[in-house]
């Protein structure tokens, strides 16, 4: 590193929730472990059921399966290390490990924004053009949309992570967070980061707002189409096909916005940790629950799959 007082950082220390009493940390460990296991099992079950049951081979469940892959990936990147820090097994993370964790947290987070927008477009086509839906959302189209949703994470994660970790670090190596997120790691940099911060702000706004605008546009058209349906039963049926997605989108964007778009004066490190938990830990657990409890097709498919797995004869129709 250039500069006489700068030292090369070989590892970082994740402070996580170290300011809390040991008893509280143990309780948090147990809570997050249960949430982690539920998240992995719930999303894995969604993937298996949508693959195994022919009734769930529609585009909607194809994109839901992709969402479950993203949720599992984000959890595997963040939660195991956080659990280790809560029990003080190992609060350190190597320089490369920190960069890798940041890269994949960016990757999965960005891709989820765009995938949710793709799912909104799928609901728009299903409700506004139901007769043409199978033709428009054919296998080739849905594959292209999935690739388009997964791709943005690569350039965003590569540029932001590579740029940030090319800066020199000096002084403390303590990251005041439960994972290597950009803002707390940036505070440890010993260089002028003004240009990077401008890029990060502009990039975050574009990555978050572009899919959000696409989602708003889709649901504006969906709302207009639903209002034209004459019967109350028809309106309820049309709305029920997109209510689960709308709830998932609301949870994700509200927690993400509160985490990254709050004024710095109102954004203490401890509140930032709590808000980060909502979209990195809690929301991935809720998504399969929302889609299972609010969707009769998924509930029936789960029943059929369990009956087949257990070798029972009376299969749910």
């Amino acid at each position: 590193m250039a500069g006489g007082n700068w030292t090369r950082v070989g590892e970082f220390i994740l402070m996580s929730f170290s300011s809390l009493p040991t008893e509280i940390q143990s309780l948090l460990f147990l809570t997050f472990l249960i949430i982690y296991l539920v998240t992995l099992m719930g999303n894995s079950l969604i993937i298996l059921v949508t693959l195994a049951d022919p009734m769930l081979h529609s585009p909607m469940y194809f994109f839901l399966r992709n969402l479950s892959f993203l949720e599992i990936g984000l959890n595997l990147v963040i939660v195991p290390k956080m659990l280790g820090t809560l029990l003080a097994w190992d609060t350190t993370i190597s320089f490369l490990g920190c960069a890798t964790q940041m890269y994949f947290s960016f990757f999965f987070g960005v891709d989820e924004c765009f995938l949710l927008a793709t799912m909104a477009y799928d609901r728009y086509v299903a409700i506004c053009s139901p007769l043409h839906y199978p033709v428009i959302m054919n296998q080739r189209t849905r594959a292209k949309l999935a690739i388009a949703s997964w791709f943005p994470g690569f350039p965003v994660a590569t540029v932001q992570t590579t740029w940030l970790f090319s800066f020199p670090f000096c002084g403390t190596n303590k990251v005041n967070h439960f994972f290597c997120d950009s803002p707390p790691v940036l505070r440890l940099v010993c260089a002028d980061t003004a240009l990077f911060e401008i890029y990060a702000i502009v990039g975050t706004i574009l990555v978050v707002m572009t899919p959000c605008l696409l989602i708003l546009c889709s649901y504006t058209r969906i709302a207009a189409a639903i209002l034209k349906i004459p019967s109350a039963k028809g309106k309820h049926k049309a709305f029920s096909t997109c209510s689960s997605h709308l709830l998932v989108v609301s949870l994700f964007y509200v927690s993400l916005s509160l985490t990254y778009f709050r004024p710095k004066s109102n954004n203490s490190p401890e509140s930032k940790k709590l808000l980060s938990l909502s979209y990195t830990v809690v929301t991935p657990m809720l998504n399969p629950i929302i889609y299972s409890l609010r969707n009769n097709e998924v509930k029936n498919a789960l029943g059929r799959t369990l009956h087949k797995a257990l070798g029972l004869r009376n299969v749910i129709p």
Side-chain angles (χ1 to χ4, degrees):
M1 298 286 184
N5 295 326
W6 290 350
T7 57
R8 183 180 295 276
V9 173
E11 64 181 19
F12 295 96
I13 298 174
L14 294 174
M15 299 302 293
S16 192
F17 299 95
S18 58
S19 60
L20 298 175
T22 304
E23 295 79 8
I24 301 297
Q25 291 191 56
S26 299
L27 181 61
L28 286 176
F29 171 83
L30 182 60
T31 303
F32 293 148
L33 177 61
I34 293 172
I35 292 175
Y36 177 60
L37 295 175
V38 170
T39 300
L40 293 184
M41 289 188 291
N43 284 286
S44 297
L45 197 57
I46 289 290
I47 293 171
L48 292 174
V49 169
T50 55
L51 282 172
D53 197 297
M55 299 295 290
L56 300 185
H57 286 178
S58 65
M60 172 181 171
Y61 298 108
F62 169 77
F63 294 124
L64 176 58
R65 187 161 60 246
N66 277 263
L67 180 63
S68 291
F69 273 116
L70 286 176
E71 302 290 29
I72 290 173
L74 184 62
N75 258 247
L76 289 175
V77 167
I78 293 175
V79 180
K81 186 62 183 178
M82 180 182 69
L83 292 174
T85 61
L86 283 170
L87 287 188
W89 289 336
D90 186 9
T91 59
T92 63
I93 184 170
S94 68
F95 186 90
L96 180 59
C98 188
T100 302
Q101 189 181 57
M102 183 182 293
Y103 178 91
F104 283 105
S105 65
F106 278 135
F107 173 76
F108 290 121
V110 169
D111 287 348
E112 184 160 348
C113 290
F114 283 92
L115 183 61
L116 289 173
T118 299
M119 295 173 77
Y121 173 72
D122 171 70
R123 293 297 83 210
Y124 157 71
V125 177
I127 293 173
C128 297
S129 303
L131 298 179
H132 299 95
Y133 179 63
V135 177
I136 296 173
M137 298 300 292
N138 56 56
Q139 287 190 350
R140 185 169 183 176
T141 301
R142 73 181 79 163
K144 288 181 179 179
L145 288 172
I147 292 171
S149 301
W150 282 82
F151 175 75
F154 286 107
V156 172
T158 300
V159 172
Q160 189 142 331
T161 305
T162 304
W163 192 352
L164 177 52
F165 280 87
S166 67
F167 286 121
F169 294 88
C170 64
T172 181
N173 64 341
K174 295 180 179 179
V175 178
N176 193 10
H177 211 330
F178 58 84
F179 76 102
C180 287
D181 199 8
S182 179
V185 173
L186 187 63
R187 295 190 188 100
L188 309 181
V189 170
C190 296
D192 183 8
T193 60
L195 185 60
F196 174 83
E197 290 183 57
I198 292 172
Y199 159 79
I201 292 171
V202 173
T204 302
I205 292 173
L206 288 175
V207 163
V208 173
M209 293 307 299
T210 301
C212 187
L213 290 174
L214 293 173
I215 292 170
L216 287 174
C217 182
S218 295
Y219 275 105
T220 300
R221 300 292 296 273
I222 288 171
I226 291 176
L227 290 174
K228 292 178 181 178
I229 299 174
S231 68
K233 185 178 180 181
K235 289 179 180 178
H236 180 266
K237 184 178 179 181
F239 178 74
S240 65
T241 63
C242 57
S243 59
S244 296
H245 176 258
L246 191 57
L247 183 55
V248 167
V249 166
S250 300
L251 287 172
F252 180 77
Y253 272 99
V254 167
S255 59
L256 198 66
S257 299
L258 289 174
T259 303
Y260 292 105
F261 294 111
R262 293 177 72 204
K264 287 187 176 181
S265 57
N266 299 329
N267 202 7
S268 68
E270 298 307 315
S271 65
K272 177 74 176 291
K273 293 176 191 177
L274 292 174
L275 290 169
S276 296
L277 283 172
S278 61
Y279 81 90
T280 58
V281 178
V282 179
T283 302
M285 176 195 68
L286 293 177
N287 287 351
I289 295 174
I290 291 170
Y291 273 100
S292 298
L293 295 180
R294 298 179 62 87
N295 191 308
N296 288 328
E297 288 183 340
V298 174
K299 285 192 287 187
N300 291 337
L302 283 170
R304 288 192 295 269
T305 303
L306 289 174
H307 275 69
K308 290 178 182 178
L310 296 173
L312 300 178
R313 293 181 179 180
N314 295 324
V315 180
I316 295 175

